[in-house]
Amino acid sequence: MWWGGRGQSFNIAPQKAEPDMGLSGPKPVQRTGMLESRSCQLGSHLALGCLPGEQILAWAPGVRKGLEPELPGTLICTNLRVTFQPRGWQRSQETPLSSEYDFVLVNIGRLEAVSGLSRVQLLRPGSPLKFTPEEILIHGRDFRLLRVAFEAGGLEPQAFQVTMAIVRARAQSSQAQQYAGISLSKAGQSSGPRKPPVPLLETSEDWETERKKQGAGSWRVSPVNERFDVATSLPRYFWVPKRTLDSEVRRAFGHFHQGRGPRLSWHHPGGSDLLRCGGFYTASDPNKEDIRAVESMLQAGHSDVVLVDTVDELPSLTDVQLAHLKLRALCLPDSSAAEEKWLSALEGTRWLDYVRSCLRKASDISVLVTSRVRSVVLQERGDRDFNGLLSSLVQLLSAPEARTLLGFQSLVQREWVAAGHPFLTRLGVTGASEEAPVFLLFLDCVWQLLQQFPAEFEFSEFFLLALHDSARVPDTLTFLRDTPWERAKQSGQFNSYTQIYTAGYSQLPAGNSVNPQLSVWDWDLRYSSEQILQFHNPGYDPEHCPDSWLPRQQPNFMVSGPPSSVWLFSRGALTPLNQLCPWRDSPSLLAVSSRWLPRPAISSESLADQEWGLPSHWGACPLPPGLLLPGYLGPQIRLWRRCYLRGRPEVQKGLSAPTISGLQDELSHLQELLRKWTPRISPEDHSEKRDPNTIVSQSR
Amino acid sequence: MLGKGVVGGGGGTKAPKPSFVSYVRPEEIHTNEKEVTEKEVTLHLLPGEQLLCEASTVLKYVQEDSCQRGIYGKLVCTDFKIAFLGDDESALDNDETQFKNKVIGENDITLHCVDQIYGVFDEKKKPLFGQLKKYPEKLIIHCKDLRVFHFGLRYTKEEEVKRIVSGIIHHTQAPKLLKRLFLFSYASAAQNNTATDPKNHTVMFDTLKDWCWELERTKGNVKYKAVSVNEGYKVGERLPAFFVVPTPLPEEDVRCFQGRGIPIWCWSCHNGCALLKMSALPKEQDDGLLQVQKSFLDGIYKTIHRPPYEIVKTEDLSSNFLSLQDIQTAYSKFKQLFLIDNSTEFWDTDIKWFSLLESSSWLDIIRRCLKKAIEITECLEAQNMNVLLLEENASDLCCLLSSLVQVMMDPHCRTRVGFQSLVQKEWIMGGHCFLDRCNHLRQSDKEEVPVFLLFLDCVWQLVHQHPPAFDFTETYLTVLSDSLYLPIFSTFFFNSPHQKYINMHQRQLSLPLTQSKSSPKRGFFREETDHLIKNLLGRRISKLINSSDELQDNFREFYESWHSKPTDYHGLLLPHIEGPEIKVWAQRYLRWIPEAQILGGGRVATMSKLLEMMEEVEHLQEKIDERHHSQGALLAEAPPLLRSSARLSSLFPFALLQRHSSKPVLPTSGWKALGDEDDLAKREDEFVDLGDV
């Protein structure tokens, strides 16, 4: 009943397992004497929960505070994580990482030691600890908070040790390579062939299946990047127009920033295509054939091409990072913002403003994509940040399929992981300066959609929270590498059980992989089956599920010859472009790096007087039934409290349970009762017991 | 006869030049008129309602289109409402008409609901009042429920413009006599229509029995007694006919100062502590009189400070709490955020939304009220003290705080009937000056303070934070707030029970719905909407165990300790008052803004799912019961509750605007630059259907 009401992601009562000998035995009186032996026992006991290669650095008994109920247990620091192990709680072999008690070292954003009433010392890596802490507060960068009060009575040295160990381990953990050699026990257990729960898009079969599912008939899978020699940040396979040869692709891509040429992101069943590409590499000097190849790839068989300047009206990476830092500071429990000034402080972070601009832009683009047949090309210089964000949002708005659990995970896998979003750099794991949580911004946008359309999504807020928290958990390769190339190259070293991609990159026969690569989508690594059940949105209306959504297949209007109309979408307005590529005849435009036309000078006043309407030949086509148009007005963009205010338990407490789930429980209980009494039940009994495993691994 | 026709707009028609005023010439209207099927739109008049003036060929602008388009029709003014006739109502789906308001149509504005009227002269907007020398080309009406109407008068005959504009200004802005309220014409015309709903058990507190019942319910009858000393309003006109005072209080004390200066009982807590209120004694300059007052008060305090009475804590609301002025200023700033003349204005404010919101300090006022109510609750609940609320007339913030405390402490007040009884007890019988505070008679703008709305907003915060604790939903509160301006219910149109008594009884009028008035719920929407108003889940939540008898000595501790425990929805209920927790009552304030519409979204999206599941639960429950009693009394199928395949919008059930066809979200300035339309049309012809390649 209390979903997340206690400041946790989930509200499942800690398992009250029978007390085990390791922790409950010794009483305080005996403690000092038994410390040695106890430590031994404890060590061996704790080791049970450790992953191979993980080492316990220090531990101390304590009580977890701030959340109800207060839990006695042990605070443990290893070379991977800080974990609070409640007394009597046994780490399940099934879920080697706990979503509730674990704080991965890289996730620690701030550390505070408290002694006495007022002595708070901020611990920076390397700063000395001058007193024995009575209490320690760990602020996660994912907005979680762990507050542990150490036990008194002769154990102060341990409290000191564990605190120092955390500080040291935290300092050393900035290198992601730290985790090399640690492997997940789950992988060792799995025997026999196992299909990943979500297609990882590492084989051409995956791409082919996905292409067929989207019905992109005029596209094909190109293996031109199989050896990552076109671009290391691109996946090994991607979709290009059917008529374009691989050699043309290779040459054309050379004229784009970092070799990221135009590829299909999504094919709308109505006939439009959504493409993404990097900025034009203006220093290159393409010949006529190359230009023709680039143009035909951008045009993709459509007569209308709309180039979308992705970064226009969106925040820069630095803006996003700054806003996220400010938001984190504001959401800390001791944030200095007064209650009556809270809203303007929130506005001051500009985070919600950025969420708004993303939603607004995505909403505009999805109208462009769905209203008629055309090719919409998202162009961002790097093509690795906001292109992914916008293209995923557009798909969420336009395709009911993407709003299912499986569909959303595939979407993230395709548009973020496979498309080479530099997770490691952006989430600050490497400590590099280009940190910017674009992915978390995306998750916030999705949460806003979830709030606005509670019946349209198969997944719940808790699924988004789980994904949010997983971004910094170093258990799988999904979010731990910057490029698909690194992921492929290092997967062997990271996890000895997984297949090693050797030179030659021979195609592994599908279904024959003995130990498939683990991904973030293997939720059972970190979440219990009860938690996974909560990933489902009980309010999801099956009427909106993809089965009942029949796309009207519109006839394809194809025009031979050069593109007849090319537009640039920028500042919420369409302006005509004379040409697609910047190189052709006007050398003056080459000077403009990625933008080849001066921006239309439209002030907000003149926008007001404009007629709202699409050009007549695009027609007033009714918007497809599956399209969501999100609200993005000030009052409609809200703060994701369950995520950002987790560190402030007083705000979290009493968040009322979504009552629909209570009803669902009642319903299944009644059905259960009835089933017991009657051997056969009416056919309209549609609440089959859900098996958590089928949720994430539904057949493709 | 009506000059009706949908003008402008659609993708196919010639793109109009963007300008502030209509580009349509009357000839064009004429051509369009032929295409539109002629349908007589009739004016529906309530019993006793009279048509005062009308004007035809008025253009009602469609707000969402930046004032580019509109609908022609007739604008009428009756003694009850301003109405625009011209909307083709048959265009609405059945699903939507099902939820239509029975009394007020989409284009109706009751006279009391008009807030401010502006005229546009040469594209300049000026407020209109009094006698006009020049008549505007456009009329903008801001309503108290935050709707905004734009009426273009350019193509209306001059005399008609004069008549309708001065008519509207006169009937909405000029001071009015109480006896001219539409209420009375309606009451005399619709006298036989006094059907009462037997299911409605709202306690009206207009008999001694009602007060005794309330005393018994709260177990306050040990120390307090109901008195009928003011029967027939012989003692004071500000007092209700019956009320409750401490048992030892002599009746002559009540008479001394017309009921001022005596503690009047509001409610008793489970531990015996009581919430009392007192209006201040008249301010006197004369020392002798002051001496009399002082000794009178000493006597009173002696009575209530003696056992069996608990220690009394006095809360002086006139001196160290919000002033009515604060509330008025805050709300007038706050409502400007939602009174949007055109979309651009809205977008301009959007970026600064939070700071604008904050600078109105309306939310902070809500927070302060909730905080004060928690403080009072803490005294009653944790410190076992009586609380005496003190205010000039004991009829503004006194009403607000005492009813808020009761909503928080008494689960009965969180049922619909209980809440209505509470409003009846604290606000109607408590003598809240609805007539002045709502400025129904337009006599003094200074007196207009939305105290009752502030109370509803505070309750909304509670409902929003703890939906399962309430029997009603936010929709109920929104509808209730609307009925403040609906002069067919007598509830909110008097300053005191005495005023109502002399005006209704002496003129021998009985109002319809007199017995159920404080909520128009049953009569207002059709039955189907019931589900939206009644909280479906409020009653289903099983009782949780609560052990909150610990004594805490200050507010913080009390507040934090309550929030750290599981919530007992049937017990004490405290709101969160931290910064992020006080929110904007979006349903009430945003429901008319087209840009705020989320098609297929909002809370209503899950409603049908919820209803379906409830139906199924009930069905199964019945089956199980059947089995238990092993008697197969076949139960009738539950009627389908909300069966609608249509995607409802988040503004449901209020605004009915929906984008049925492609409403371009995109401002596309560039299109016109593309060249003339012939070119585009030609290009279209060139399209060759190659089919699937």
Side-chain angles (χ1 to χ4, degrees), chain A residues 24-147:
Chain A
S24 60
K27 290 274 159 274
V29 204
Q30 306 158 290
R31 200 168 264 162
T32 30
M34 288 188 64
L35 202 58
E36 273 310 283
S37 64
R38 197 177 157 225
S39 136
C40 269
Q41 270 182 336
L42 190 75
S44 62
H45 169 76
L46 293 175
L48 285 176
C50 281
L51 301 170
E54 188 181 0
Q55 290 166 349
I56 292 178
L57 302 174
W59 59 273
V63 177
R64 188 183 71 167
K65 296 247 185 182
L67 300 168
E68 297 289 327
E70 290 191 351
L71 285 175
T74 317
L75 186 72
I76 304 158
C77 174
T78 76
N79 56 346
L80 173 73
R81 59 190 160 185
V82 175
T83 185
F84 180 80
Q85 189 152 327
R87 191 172 296 166
W89 178 73
Q90 197 140 23
R91 195 179 283 277
S92 151
Q93 287 297 306
E94 295 294 305
T95 53
L97 292 165
S98 156
S99 56
E100 196 179 333
Y101 302 118
D102 281 354
F103 268 70
V104 173
L105 289 174
V106 281
N107 182 32
I108 298 174
R110 201 169 83 161
L111 198 62
E112 281 173 311
V114 180
S115 183
L117 273 177
S118 57
R119 287 182 65 190
V120 177
Q121 189 178 333
L122 184 77
L123 295 184
R124 286 210 178 77
S127 61
L129 183 61
K130 293 193 185 92
F131 58 85
T132 305
E134 287 170 5
E135 205 174 286
I136 185 167
L137 281 90
I138 303 173
H139 297 280
R141 300 212 290 187
D142 59 1
F143 297 88
R144 285 193 300 154
L145 169 71
L146 179 66
R147 189 176 145 207

Side-chain angles (χ1 to χ4, degrees), chain B residues 554-603:
Chain B
N554 67 44
F555 166 79
R556 263 291 140 196
E557 258 183 88
F558 177 71
Y559 177 79
E560 272 165 17
S561 111
W562 187 85
H563 280 299
S564 67
K565 284 181 195 129
T567 313
D568 174 10
Y569 292 124
H570 296 265
L572 177 67
L573 196 70
L574 295 188
H576 294 270
I577 54 167
E578 290 87 3
E581 301 302 310
I582 306 293
K583 295 196 178 148
V584 173
W585 182 1
Q587 189 191 49
R588 187 185 138 80
Y589 302 121
L590 288 175
R591 62 195 152 140
W592 311 116
I593 300 176
E595 281 80 5
Q597 172 173 251
I598 303 171
L599 189 56
R603 289 191 169 208

Side-chain angles (χ1 to χ4, degrees), chain B residues 91-249:
Chain B
L92 300 170
D93 301 348
N94 281 336
D95 295 319
E96 288 163 20
T97 46
Q98 173 181 328
F99 294 102
K100 238 185 77 181
N101 193 306
K102 276 181 183 173
V103 181
I104 298 295
E106 200 193 341
N107 291 321
D108 293 347
I109 314 158
T110 62
L111 298 180
H112 299 285
C113 192
V114 173
D115 191 16
Q116 193 66 257
I117 298 180
Y118 298 93
V120 175
F121 303 88
D122 300 328
E123 311 212 352
K124 270 182 217 130
K125 186 175 138 189
K126 286 174 193 159
L128 297 183
F129 44 81
Q131 286 287 325
L132 296 183
K133 287 188 200 107
K134 205 180 149 206
Y135 288 89
E137 60 214 37
K138 189 170 166 190
L139 200 63
I140 302 174
I141 301 180
H142 286 188
C143 302
K144 288 187 180 172
D145 61 4
L146 305 179
R147 286 181 295 172
V148 177
F149 286 91
H150 294 240
F151 295 112
L153 303 171
R154 181 170 274 201
Y155 304 108
T156 315
K157 285 193 206 99
E158 208 181 315
E159 305 123 65
E160 283 187 337
V161 172
K162 279 184 188 165
R163 226 178 307 140
I164 194 84
V165 173
S166 48
I168 287 175
I169 291 173
H170 176 75
H171 292 291
T172 58
Q173 310 285 65
K176 216 182 268 183
L177 291 173
L178 177 64
K179 61 178 185 196
R180 302 301 298 270
L181 280 181
F182 174 70
L183 195 65
F184 299 111
S185 355
Y186 183 61
S188 45
Q191 256 179 0
N192 49 355
N193 186 17
T194 47
T196 52
D197 187 348
K199 274 194 270 178
N200 196 316
H201 298 300
T202 305
V203 186
M204 305 306 288
F205 292 98
D206 50 2
T207 60
L208 198 64
K209 215 178 83 204
D210 286 350
W211 286 100
C212 294
W213 178 84
E214 178 77 354
L215 272 174
E216 202 157 314
R217 187 182 72 82
T218 58
K219 300 190 179 57
N221 46 3
V222 191
K223 300 171 206 166
Y224 300 92
K225 60 174 182 193
V227 291
S228 54
V229 57
N230 196 31
E231 204 168 358
Y233 303 97
K234 282 168 276 180
V235 171
E237 293 178 357
R238 298 287 310 144
L239 280 179
F242 309 97
F243 52 92
V244 175
V245 292
T247 313
L249 192 89

Side-chain angles (χ1 to χ4, degrees), chain A residues 340-341 343-344 347 452-453 538 556 567 572 574 608-610 613 615 621 633-634 636 641 651 653 656 659 666, chain B residues 18 344 346 350 352 354-355 358 465 537 540 563 569 576 581 596 598 601-602 609 662 667-671 674 692:
Chain A
E340 63 276 6
K341 292 277 163 216
L343 289 178
S344 50
E347 183 180 273
Q452 295 187 7
F453 302 97
N556 260 326
W567 282 292
L574 285 161
D609 290 335
Q610 279 158 24
C621 150
L633 302 180
Q636 288 172 325
R641 289 190 304 163
V651 175
K653 278 168 192 161
S656 285
T659 36
E666 196 174 345
Chain B
T344 334
F346 200 77
D350 211 39
K352 299 241 124 226
F354 280 120
S355 28
E358 203 174 78
Q465 292 178 14
L537 299 156
R540 303 200 68 92
H563 280 299
Y569 292 124
H576 294 270
E581 301 302 310
I598 303 171
K609 169 94 177 170
S662 142
T668 44
S669 61
W671 298 125
L674 291 178
D692 247 342

Side-chain angles (χ1 to χ4, degrees), chain A residues 272-532:
Chain A
S272 310
D273 291 309
L274 181 68
L275 281 72
R276 57 186 282 184
C277 70
F280 297 115
Y281 182 50
T282 43
S284 72
D285 182 22
N287 59 30
K288 269 191 183 138
E289 272 159 47
D290 289 356
I291 290 178
R292 201 176 305 134
V294 168
E295 277 182 351
S296 79
M297 290 177 79
L298 287 170
Q299 192 187 351
H302 296 283
S303 62
D304 296 316
V305 181
V306 179
L307 275 172
V308 177
D309 185 0
T310 298
V311 291
D312 172 60
E313 286 191 299
L314 290 188
S316 71
L317 291 175
T318 338
D319 291 340
V320 174
Q321 170 66 2
L322 196 64
H324 196 252
L325 286 176
K326 280 186 186 164
L327 180 70
R328 228 157 64 197
L330 178 69
C331 293
L332 283 177
D334 53 357
S335 137
S336 54
E339 264 157 21
E340 63 276 6
K341 292 277 163 216
W342 209 87
L343 289 178
S344 50
L346 181 61
E347 183 180 273
T349 68
R350 305 214 60 199
W351 179 260
L352 294 185
D353 212 22
Y354 297 153
V355 169
R356 190 207 335 271
S357 18
C358 292
L359 283 177
R360 190 174 171 174
K361 187 141 189 170
S363 160
D364 283 352
I365 296 171
S366 55
V367 171
L368 275 180
V369 174
T370 54
S371 60
R372 259 305 178 83
V373 186
R374 67 187 47 85
S375 165
V376 178
V377 184
L378 302 176
Q379 193 172 38
E380 182 195 12
R381 190 173 142 80
D383 181 35
R384 295 172 70 183
D385 293 299
F386 287 102
N387 264 3
L389 183 139
L390 279 183
S391 127
S392 327
L393 279 181
V394 167
Q395 293 178 53
L396 278 171
L397 291 174
S398 325
E401 164 68 29
R403 296 174 218 142
T404 62
L405 253 174
L406 181 69
F408 181 71
Q409 298 180 76
S410 315
L411 179 72
V412 173
Q413 183 71 27
R414 194 170 73 243
E415 296 294 338
W416 293 85
V417 182
H421 175 69
F423 281 104
L424 210 56
T425 312
R426 293 291 179 256
L427 295 173
V429 183
T430 53
S433 57
E434 286 168 318
E435 183 178 344
V438 184
F439 185 65
L440 306 184
L441 182 67
F442 165 68
L443 291 182
D444 197 322
C445 293
V446 180
W447 180 82
Q448 306 284 347
L449 295 180
L450 222 67
Q451 287 303 106
Q452 295 187 7
F453 302 97
E456 303 281 345
F457 290 85
E458 194 193 8
F459 51 91
S460 66
E461 176 176 9
F462 301 98
F463 171 74
L464 285 183
L465 264 182
L467 192 54
H468 180 273
D469 295 349
S470 303
R472 288 197 175 88
V473 176
D475 59 340
T476 60
L477 285 177
T478 311
F479 295 142
L480 264 189
R481 292 293 176 269
D482 274 346
T483 63
W485 174 68
E486 283 172 47
R487 213 169 275 126
K489 190 180 61 169
Q490 291 185 9
S491 61
Q493 297 164 23
F494 181 82
N495 185 337
S496 55
Y497 296 101
T498 47
Q499 162 212 354
I500 298 165
Y501 292 95
T502 47
Y505 301 106
S506 59
Q507 192 55 56
L508 196 82
N512 198 20
S513 49
V514 185
N515 290 295
Q517 200 172 334
L518 289 172
S519 68
V520 72
W521 316 119
D522 291 285
W523 291 109
D524 47 358
L525 288 176
R526 296 178 305 281
Y527 292 90
S528 66
S529 48
E530 291 98 322
Q531 289 173 319
I532 291 174

